[in-house]
Amino acid sequence: MSRYLLVVNFEGGVVETPMEEWKPEEITAHLDYYKALRQELVKSGELVESKVLTGPDLAKIVTSDGTAPVVTDGPFQEFKEWLAGYQIVEVESEARALEIAAKISAVPGPGGVPLQQPIQVRQVMEQSPSDVAEMGAYL
């Protein structure tokens, strides 16, 4: 079994209407879809973790040269590229991880239209590189 990180960004997919302009029943359908998918993955034993993150307006960027860190508060211009949430699934194959990502991508938006959000799928490494040769192979 392998673990995969399924990343959801703030991108709206094919729907350009921001969620704050959706009807209450459209938001309910959107959230209910996620709840049902979560229940399905919990029941199958594939869900390791699922989290929704605060918006980019509460994000901070930290840079440091090893001394005093520089902390920059949000909001940031390119917020659509910011992480909205993620799931970690443990599945038999990459094909299954892609199948789950497709379900996440199809979450309904206004009028029940599937958003087709791009979902990034990344395998979680069993072991991180520990020397120059392994880092070279990783890169």
Side-chain angles (χ1 to χ4, degrees):
M1 299 269 278
S2 297
R3 288 186 176 190
Y4 289 84
L5 173 69
L6 310 178
V7 179
V8 180
N9 291 335
F10 275 93
E11 295 179 60
V14 297
V15 174
E16 294 186 20
T17 307
M19 189 175 278
E20 52 269 7
E21 295 178 19
W22 294 10
K23 297 174 187 168
E25 60 271 17
E26 293 170 334
I27 295 172
T28 297
H30 181 86
L31 296 174
D32 286 350
Y33 182 93
Y34 273 121
K35 286 176 193 172
L37 180 56
R38 178 182 172 76
Q39 289 172 345
E40 173 189 327
L41 295 174
V42 166
K43 185 177 179 183
S44 70
E46 295 171 309
L47 185 65
V48 174
E49 183 171 279
S50 179
K51 298 292 180 187
V52 177
L53 304 175
T54 60
D57 56 323
L58 298 175
K60 298 185 181 333
I61 293 179
V62 177
T63 56
S64 177
D65 63 2
T67 58
V70 175
V71 180
T72 307
D73 291 333
F76 304 100
Q77 272 187 321
E78 293 298 321
F79 84 93
K80 71 178 183 177
E81 297 172 5
W82 284 82
L83 186 65
Y86 66 91
Q87 290 82 29
I88 297 176
V89 294
E90 188 166 34
V91 292
E92 290 290 335
S93 66
E94 180 182 74
R96 177 62 179 147
L98 296 174
E99 181 182 332
I100 295 167
K103 290 181 178 188
I104 296 168
S105 177
V107 64
V113 174
L115 291 183
Q116 299 179 48
Q117 283 182 297
I119 305 300
Q120 189 179 140
V121 178
R122 308 263 307 265
Q123 186 171 2
V124 177
M125 294 178 69
E126 300 280 330
Q127 181 178 334
S128 59
S130 62
D131 59 28
V132 173
E134 288 178 1
M135 184 57 79
Y138 170 73
L139 297 174

